[in-house]
Amino acid sequence: MPVLAILWLCGSPERGVRRASRLWARGILVGLKWSVGLTYTERGQHNIPDEPCLIIANHQSTWETLAFLVLFPDVAIVAKKELLTIPVFSWFLRKSPMILIDRESGSKAIRKIVEESQAALAQGRSVLIFPEGTRRPSSEPIEFKRGVEFLYAKLGRPVLPVALNSGHFWGPGGSYKRAGTISVTYLDPIPPGLAAREFTRQAEQVLEAERRSSWPQAA
């Protein structure tokens, strides 16, 4: 709250809000390390494009919604509008800003994602989307919702697939967290220009292969 008050008095500068959000997220990750014994490791950093890109990741836990603020400092995350009901947190979402959508609005939501993603990329910010649409148990195969292939076609940027196994330690819908090491794997980028169906096939395939091979490391 004190940080929010200071930022508000300073005119809510976007960079300042994002820095405060990163500090907050980093504090939570440190807290998880010391209180729960939950840490993470990164692999494949050489695959991260030098230019702003579209990032796609499988979604197993609340953990990655926090961690990506640290892993990609200025990322613009596509998030559901329902998060705006959370006090204080919603203010940071609006002022960062993130790409907030109403998932029930269909084609209107897709147009909004495209327009705001193009604006974020023009500012030098990568865009993150969870193509599965919501958190899924770590045991379930990866299956994209409709829309991400349209975003891929419209943006014309490299796509960085990121595979996580966070659900083994902090599952969807559960508050219990257990010790261990979450694996964050940056896979080979997918170039722009593929047919929509081919892009979806490749992206699902590489993320699913990593999901199957990525087993939790017990602490």
Side-chain angles (χ1 to χ4, degrees):
M1 290 299 292
V3 172
L4 187 151
I6 293 170
L7 289 170
W8 182 78
L9 290 171
C10 293
S12 306
E14 291 182 6
R15 288 191 177 276
V17 172
R18 289 200 289 271
R19 284 175 184 160
S21 299
R22 289 198 300 273
L23 183 62
W24 169 73
R26 194 179 297 277
I28 291 177
L29 296 182
V30 171
L32 286 170
K33 176 181 179 180
W34 291 107
S35 63
V36 180
L38 181 57
T39 61
Y40 69 95
T41 184
E42 298 175 79
R43 296 184 297 165
Q45 289 98 322
H46 62 279
N47 286 322
I48 300 175
D50 293 329
E51 62 182 304
C53 63
L54 176 62
I55 303 167
I56 59 172
N58 61 314
H59 198 8
Q60 297 183 353
S61 171
T62 300
W63 182 87
E64 52 264 20
T65 61
L66 303 170
F68 270 109
L69 296 175
V70 176
L71 300 174
F72 292 90
D74 286 326
V75 71
I77 303 175
V78 178
K80 57 187 179 182
K81 196 174 182 179
E82 290 88 333
L83 294 176
L84 294 178
T85 60
I86 303 174
V88 182
F89 183 64
S90 62
W91 185 89
F92 281 94
L93 286 176
R94 288 183 184 277
K95 299 298 182 179
S96 294
M98 298 301 175
I99 301 171
L100 302 167
I101 61 166
D102 180 358
R103 293 184 294 186
E104 303 300 320
S105 61
S107 59
K108 184 178 179 181
I110 295 175
R111 287 197 300 272
K112 177 180 170 65
I113 293 174
V114 170
E115 291 172 1
E116 296 195 15
S117 294
Q118 289 172 333
L121 289 166
Q123 296 172 358
R125 302 175 67 196
S126 290
V127 175
L128 166 67
I129 188 169
F130 298 108
E132 294 170 289
T134 189
R135 291 170 294 171
R136 293 164 62 89
S138 58
S139 60
E140 290 188 6
I142 292 170
E143 184 177 354
F144 291 0
K145 298 289 187 182
R146 296 290 304 275
V148 67
E149 72 279 1
F150 184 75
L151 181 62
Y152 163 78
K154 287 294 185 180
L155 295 183
R157 296 289 185 119
V159 176
L160 177 66
V162 182
L164 309 108
N165 66 350
S166 53
H168 290 289
F169 308 95
W170 182 356
S175 59
Y176 178 76
K177 309 164 189 66
R178 70 184 184 90
T181 303
I182 292 172
S183 174
V184 180
T185 306
Y186 307 106
L187 303 170
D188 291 336
I190 300 174
L194 298 177
R197 184 173 296 180
E198 177 60 18
F199 160 72
T200 301
R201 185 192 68 81
Q202 282 194 28
E204 287 182 337
Q205 188 177 67
V206 297
L207 286 172
E208 177 62 13
E210 187 64 27
R211 182 193 72 84
R212 288 176 177 270
S213 66
S214 181
W215 295 98
Q217 302 174 35

